[in-house]
Amino acid sequence: MITTEQLNPEQQQGVYTVNGPVLILAGAGSGKTRVLTNRTAYLIKERYVDPFNILAITFTNKAAAEMRRRINELVGHGAEGIWISTFHSCCVRILRRYADRIGYDTGFTIYDSDDSNSLMKDVLKRLEIDNKIIKEKTALNAISSAKNELIDTARFRVDAGGDFKYLKLASIYEEYQNSLKKNNAMDFDDLIMNTVKLLSMDNEVRNAYQERFQYIMVDEYQDTNTAQFALIELLAGKYKNLCVVGDDDQSIYKFRGANIRNILDFEKVYPDATVIKLEQNYRSTKNILNAANEVIANNIGRKAKALWTESEEGDKVKFEQFDNGQEEAIYIVADIARRVGAGECEYKDCAVLYRTNAQSRLLEERFVNRGIPYKLIGGVNFYSRKEIKDILAYLKTIDNGKDDLAVTRILNVPKRGIGQTTEGRIADYAYANGMSFYDALKKASEIQGVSAAVKKIEPFVALIEDLRGILATSGIEQTVEKLLEKTGYVEDLVIENTDESRARIENIDELISKIVDYEKNEENPTLSGFLEEVALVAEVDSLDEDSDYVILMTLHGAKGLEFKNVYMSGMEDGLFPSYMSISSGNNDDLEEERRLCYVGITRAKKTLTMTAARARMLRGETQYNPVSRFIKELPKEVMDGYYKPPKTEDMPVNDTFKRAKASWKNNSFAESVSAYKSMADIKTGKDMGSASAGLDYAVGDRVSHIKFGEGMVLEIKDGGRDYEVTVDFDEAGVRKMFASFAKLKRC
C-alpha cells in the first residue's frame, strides 16, 4: 500500500483521480513529478492496473529516466512494464514494429538537424533553386511547421494556391520527402506525423495500442504541438483515461511548433474533464514567487492561478544596471566568486541565464580570466561534432545502406581520391535506376564515365561489407575499433598533433565509452538501437549535476531545471523582450516572452539577480535600449535596487533632445543618460561642415531605416572611411551604425 500523507490535498486529488480526462495545472516547483509517480504507483498497487497498460510521456530522456527511477522506488518489481518515454521514443517504438504498413522499412534511419540540412542542400541543388532565394533553413522551417500541423505534401500544395514562393516550397517539400523515403529515413517531425498517419489509417494497429494503453499520462502538456495532440487523442480514444500535466504560464516553445491552445482548450475537447490546480511551490522563496506572480499576471491568455509557498521570505530580487555589457559580465562573475569564496554555495549552485546564445561570449571571457569553471549548455551538441558525425555515418551505412546522406559523407573519409564528378555520375545513376547510392557504388564498373575510379570505390564497398561481418559476430564496440584501425582515422589525428586533434580523439574515446555502456546495459543491444538512442538524445540531458561548474544557458534551455542562485542578464527592451516581439504588433508574441521571463524567475530557489546594460554591442552594432518592461512589472517591495527612470534635469538640454525630453516620462527614450551626457555640446548639421558633406541628412533630421523604421539623428561622427551615425528610432531604440551600411533616408 502506498502512502500519500506527504502530499498536499491538491496533489492527493491528482493521484486518486484516475478515471476519465484530467487536467493538472502544475505551477513551477509545485511537485508535479511527485504527483505523476505516486499516481502511477497508486494505479499499480491499489487499483491493480497491469503496468503493461500504462503509458507515461515526457519531453526529455532525462525526465523519463527520473520518473522511472522514482516509480521503481515506490512500486518495485514489475514497474519495468510501464512505457515511460519521450514522444519521439514512443513513436519510434511503434514505427519499428509497423512502419512497413505505411511504406517504410522498419529499419529506417532517423535524421537529425544536420542530416536534414545536408539533404536539403541536395534537394535545392537538384531542383536548381538558388539558396540565396530560398535558404535551406527557410525551407526546413516551413516543412517542419507543416508537419507539426499534420499538413502533408498534397495539402501543402493546395494551400499554396497561386503564391509563387509557396508553390516553390511545395516542390521542395515533395522532393525532400521523396529523398527521405528513398533513403529509408525519417526526420524528427516524421516520427510523430507518420505515427499519427499509421494509427489513423490502420484500424488493427490503432485498436491494439488503444487496448494496451488504458491509462495515459502526459507531462509538459503546454509544449505539445498539433501533431502530438492528435497522437495522444488517438491513443486515448477508447478508454479516455488521459491525465495531462502542464502549466500554460510556461509555454515558451511556439517557435518549435508548440500550441498553447492544447492546454487552454483542454476542457473544450474533454467537457467532462476534472481540473486540478497545483499552486503550492516547494522550490522558491516568497519574494521570488511574488516577483514571478506579478510579472505573469500581465498576460491575458492564461488560466488564473498564483503560486504560494510556506518557505521564508528570503532575499529580495536584486537588480543592477551597468554602462555596458562588459561591466555587466564583470559584476556577475565577481558576485559568483564572492558567494563561493564566502562559503555560501558551490559553483554548480549558480546559473547565468540569457535570451540569446550570443550573450555568452563576454561571460565566458570573464569566467576564463577569473579561472572559474563553467559549462556552456546549448553549444555544439556532442553528437554534432565532425569526428562523431563521421563515425556515426559509417555506422549508419553499415546498418542501413539506403541512407545516401551517410554514405556520401564518408565516401572520402579518409580521402580516397573519388572526385565530385564521379560522385555526381554515381548519384545520377542511382536516381535514374531507383536505387540507393550505396547499391550504385556496388555497380560502379557498369556506370559510364566512372571506370577510372572503380579501383578507389571497390575498397570502400569491401570495407563496409567487412565491417558488417564483424558487427554480426563481435558487436558494436569491436566494429568501431576495427573501423578506426582500417581507416586510420585516429592515426591521422595523432599525426596532426594539435590541441584540436587531441580533443577529437578524446571525443572518439567518449563515443566508444558510450557504446560500451550501451552494450553492457541494454538487454538486446543492436546497432539500430544504439543509433536510435543517439539520435534521440537532447543536449540538456547531458547536464552533469555532480560536476562543480557554473552553468551558462539560454532561458529556453533552463526550463525544467532549478538552481540555488540565478542570474538573468540582458534585461533590456529589444533584447528581452526581443525587438521582434515588441515590433510585431502581435500581443501573443510579447506574452510568450513574458512567459519566458516567468520561467527564468522560477528557476531560482534562494537568490535571483537581474542585470541590464545601458549600451550593448550586438551583431556589430552598439545598441542603447531601455530597461526591460519586465523589470518595471516587478513589485517594488520585493526588489533590491528597484529601477528608477532618470530625472529630466539630468538630460542634455540641446535642442536636438526636445522630443526626447518629452518622452522620458513614458521611458520611450533610451535609458543611457551617461552615454549621451557628452552630447550636450553636440553640433547641428550645419556646424558639422564637411563631416557630413556626403550625407543628405544632418543631426536633428528625421530618417528612415529599412529594418528599424523611422527615428531622429542624434549624432554624426567622421570615422575616416565612413560616418558613424547614432539614431534614436521610434520603435527600436538607439542604434549606432555606419552610414554606408545603414542606407538611411531623410523623411
Side-chain angles (χ1 to χ4, degrees):
M1 180 175 180
I2 69 163
T3 175
T4 57
E5 294 178 0
Q6 76 279 17
L7 305 181
N8 65 42
E10 291 75 23
Q11 290 175 329
Q12 289 183 14
Q13 185 184 5
V15 170
Y16 297 136
T17 308
V18 294
N19 292 324
V22 179
L23 169 62
I24 300 179
L25 292 170
S30 61
K32 65 183 176 68
T33 304
R34 186 187 302 176
V35 173
L36 286 173
T37 52
N38 276 275
R39 190 176 197 272
T40 307
Y42 172 73
L43 283 169
I44 297 170
K45 301 289 282 187
E46 306 295 329
R47 301 295 289 265
Y48 305 108
V49 174
D50 190 330
F52 181 83
N53 296 129
I54 300 174
L55 170 66
I57 297 286
T58 68
F59 266 80
T60 68
N61 295 308
K62 182 179 179 181
E66 175 63 14
M67 185 179 293
R68 183 173 294 282
R69 184 188 67 78
R70 292 200 196 183
I71 292 172
N72 283 338
E73 288 178 355
L74 291 170
V75 177
H77 183 70
E80 62 275 3
I82 307 169
W83 265 32
I84 305 176
S85 68
T86 64
F87 271 102
H88 292 104
S89 295
C90 175
C91 289
V92 168
R93 198 166 172 181
I94 294 172
L95 291 170
R96 285 289 181 223
R97 187 171 181 182
Y98 293 111
D100 56 339
R101 299 200 179 195
I102 54 171
Y104 283 84
D105 189 306
T106 53
F108 59 86
T109 296
I110 301 170
Y111 274 10
D112 63 16
S113 57
D114 287 341
D115 296 330
S116 295
N117 196 62
S118 297
L119 182 61
M120 183 55 71
K121 285 182 180 178
D122 292 341
V123 167
L124 294 182
K125 184 178 179 180
R126 198 178 303 137
L127 295 177
E128 299 181 340
I129 296 174
D130 189 341
N131 65 2
K132 293 179 181 177
I133 297 174
I134 298 180
K135 298 184 186 305
E136 292 92 351
K137 188 174 181 181
T138 301
L140 287 169
N141 285 343
I143 292 170
S144 179
S145 296
K147 290 180 179 180
N148 287 338
E149 294 298 321
L150 297 176
I151 297 172
D152 61 14
T153 55
R155 183 178 155 197
F156 193 97
R157 181 168 288 280
V158 171
D159 290 348
D163 188 287
F164 176 78
K165 181 178 179 181
Y166 281 96
L167 285 172
K168 279 283 186 188
L169 285 171
S171 297
I172 293 169
Y173 187 5
E174 289 164 356
E175 185 64 24
Y176 176 76
Q177 287 305 112
N178 289 338
S179 298
L180 282 171
K181 194 77 172 287
K182 177 176 171 289
N183 290 354
N184 193 36
M186 299 185 196
D187 63 20
F188 267 63
D189 297 316
D190 283 327
L191 297 177
I192 310 290
M193 188 173 182
N194 283 336
T195 306
V196 171
K197 179 181 178 181
L198 170 67
L199 295 174
S200 300
M201 294 173 52
D202 196 306
N203 292 336
E204 181 186 359
V205 175
R206 183 177 65 254
N207 291 336
Y209 281 106
Q210 285 182 347
E211 188 61 40
R212 172 164 189 177
F213 299 132
Q214 298 179 19
Y215 293 88
I216 300 175
M217 290 172 282
V218 184
D219 196 8
E220 305 289 1
Y221 192 67
Q222 76 281 346
D223 294 333
T224 55
N225 58 37
T226 301
Q228 290 163 338
F229 169 81
L231 173 70
I232 293 302
E233 193 173 31
L234 281 166
L235 291 175
K238 182 174 183 179
Y239 289 97
K240 299 191 185 304
N241 294 325
L242 171 63
C243 173
V244 301
V245 183
D247 181 6
D248 52 298
D249 288 335
Q250 296 186 70
S251 179
I252 59 173
Y253 293 125
K254 182 181 178 182
F255 69 96
R256 292 182 186 170
N259 185 353
I260 194 173
R261 302 312 312 180
N262 288 351
I263 191 167
L264 293 179
D265 296 341
F266 187 80
E267 297 104 304
K268 292 181 181 178
V269 179
Y270 299 100
D272 57 337
T274 301
V275 180
I276 302 166
K277 293 183 181 181
L278 304 183
E279 296 172 294
Q280 184 174 357
N281 178 280
Y282 295 91
R283 176 188 298 158
S284 307
T285 63
K286 284 188 173 72
N287 279 326
I288 290 172
L289 289 187
N290 288 339
N293 286 332
E294 286 294 322
V295 168
I296 201 63
N298 289 278
N299 273 6
I300 298 171
R302 64 186 292 262
K303 291 180 178 291
K305 53 190 171 303
L307 297 178
W308 62 275
T309 183
E310 294 179 345
S311 300
E312 60 185 1
E313 281 201 7
D315 294 344
K316 289 190 174 184
V317 176
K318 192 171 184 62
F319 173 70
E320 294 283 352
Q321 187 180 20
F322 303 91
D323 284 338
N324 53 58
Q326 287 276 8
E327 291 183 8
E328 178 190 49
I330 290 170
Y331 168 80
I332 290 173
V333 174
D335 198 57
I336 291 173
R338 176 189 62 79
R339 291 182 189 277
V340 175
E344 296 177 16
C345 64
E346 298 178 78
Y347 289 124
K348 66 181 179 182
D349 296 322
C350 303
V352 187
L353 312 180
Y354 35 77
R355 180 63 181 82
T356 66
N357 276 310
Q359 292 170 250
S360 71
R361 182 182 64 82
L362 292 176
L363 291 160
E364 288 188 79
E365 289 175 358
R366 298 312 306 175
F367 279 117
V368 170
N369 289 341
R370 290 293 294 263
I372 294 176
Y374 72 92
K375 182 170 184 181
L376 183 67
I377 303 295
V380 179
N381 186 295
F382 175 80
Y383 295 105
S384 296
R385 293 166 183 167
K386 181 186 180 303
E387 60 278 9
I388 304 303
K389 293 283 286 185
D390 286 345
I391 295 171
L392 290 178
Y394 265 106
L395 293 179
K396 287 177 182 178
T397 302
I398 294 166
D399 184 57
N400 174 18
K402 295 180 181 179
D403 188 348
D404 291 356
L405 209 60
V407 180
T408 54
R409 180 183 180 94
I410 57 172
L411 188 59
N412 277 299
V413 178
K415 291 180 181 178
R416 297 185 172 91
I418 302 171
Q420 289 187 351
T421 301
T422 298
E423 186 177 326
R425 286 170 179 165
I426 295 169
D428 290 342
Y429 180 86
Y431 189 76
N433 290 277
M435 64 174 60
S436 71
F437 186 86
Y438 183 72
D439 285 341
L441 286 175
K442 292 180 177 180
K443 296 178 176 289
S445 60
E446 303 174 17
I447 302 174
Q448 187 174 0
V450 176
S451 57
V454 169
K455 290 183 179 180
K456 301 172 183 177
I457 294 171
E458 287 180 342
F460 173 75
V461 173
L463 172 65
I464 298 301
E465 296 302 321
D466 186 25
L467 291 171
R468 285 178 173 174
I470 294 170
L471 175 68
T473 58
S474 305
I476 308 171
E477 182 198 355
Q478 288 301 311
T479 302
V480 173
E481 295 284 6
K482 282 294 182 183
L483 161 64
L484 296 173
E485 176 189 323
K486 288 174 177 290
T487 59
Y489 198 104
V490 172
E491 185 179 344
D492 289 343
L493 292 174
V494 171
I495 294 171
E496 186 179 323
N497 193 30
T498 62
D499 289 342
E500 182 180 354
S501 67
R502 284 189 286 273
R504 287 184 171 182
I505 292 171
E506 290 172 359
N507 289 336
I508 292 170
D509 290 341
E510 180 62 25
L511 178 64
I512 293 173
S513 296
K514 167 67 179 176
I515 291 169
V516 171
D517 185 61
Y518 170 79
E519 290 191 302
K520 179 181 177 182
N521 294 305
E522 189 69 22
E523 186 175 343
N524 295 303
T526 63
L527 180 53
S528 295
F530 173 74
L531 292 170
E532 176 185 309
E533 183 172 304
V534 165
L536 297 174
V537 170
E539 174 66 15
V540 73
D541 290 342
S542 69
L543 179 59
D544 184 355
E545 296 175 354
D546 295 326
S547 298
D548 192 23
Y549 43 61
V550 179
I551 298 298
L552 304 183
M553 66 195 317
T554 64
L555 286 150
H556 280 101
K559 186 171 174 295
L561 304 176
E562 59 182 44
F563 303 92
K564 184 177 180 181
N565 308 305
V566 168
Y567 297 80
M568 291 175 64
S569 65
M571 299 299 297
E572 302 134 34
D573 265 17
L575 186 57
F576 189 41
S578 68
Y579 170 70
M580 291 296 292
S581 68
I582 295 171
S583 60
S584 70
N586 186 344
N587 192 54
D588 290 346
D589 294 338
L590 188 57
E591 291 210 349
E592 175 139 341
E593 291 281 294
R594 187 175 282 110
R595 291 194 292 270
L596 188 57
C597 182
Y598 173 84
V599 166
I601 293 172
T602 53
R603 298 312 93 195
K605 296 166 68 175
K606 294 296 182 183
T607 72
L608 173 63
T609 302
M610 308 175 91
T611 60
R614 295 182 176 89
R616 188 181 299 277
M617 180 73 75
L618 289 173
R619 293 175 295 277
E621 291 180 358
T622 300
Q623 299 184 3
Y624 299 91
N625 289 325
V627 168
S628 172
R629 63 195 64 200
F630 301 148
I631 293 291
K632 298 166 194 174
E633 291 171 357
L634 295 170
K636 293 181 180 180
E637 56 271 18
V638 306
M639 297 293 290
D640 175 10
Y642 184 76
Y643 169 72
K644 297 178 182 177
K647 297 178 181 178
T648 305
E649 54 264 31
D650 288 337
M651 292 184 56
V653 293
N654 193 283
D655 287 345
T656 302
F657 293 93
K658 281 183 179 179
R659 183 177 64 85
K661 273 187 176 183
S663 66
W664 276 99
K665 290 182 180 179
N666 61 20
N667 197 41
S668 63
F669 190 71
E671 317 296 346
S672 48
V673 181
S674 62
Y676 289 115
K677 282 188 176 178
S678 61
M679 293 189 204
D681 59 347
I682 194 168
K683 299 178 178 66
T684 66
K686 292 180 180 178
D687 293 332
M688 291 208 53
S690 61
S692 59
L695 305 178
D696 64 354
Y697 52 83
V699 172
D701 285 343
R702 295 279 295 171
V703 294
S704 65
H705 184 275
I706 190 170
K707 176 180 176 182
F708 300 127
E710 293 188 5
M712 183 175 66
V713 179
L714 299 180
E715 183 181 21
I716 301 175
K717 285 184 178 179
D718 188 351
R721 296 185 178 181
D722 203 352
Y723 298 115
E724 187 181 88
V725 185
T726 303
V727 182
D728 174 23
F729 292 100
D730 299 342
E731 298 293 335
V734 178
R735 298 283 192 275
K736 274 190 179 182
M737 56 197 75
F738 287 114
S740 61
F741 290 102
K743 293 182 171 53
L744 298 169
K745 294 183 179 180
R746 186 174 179 178
C747 296

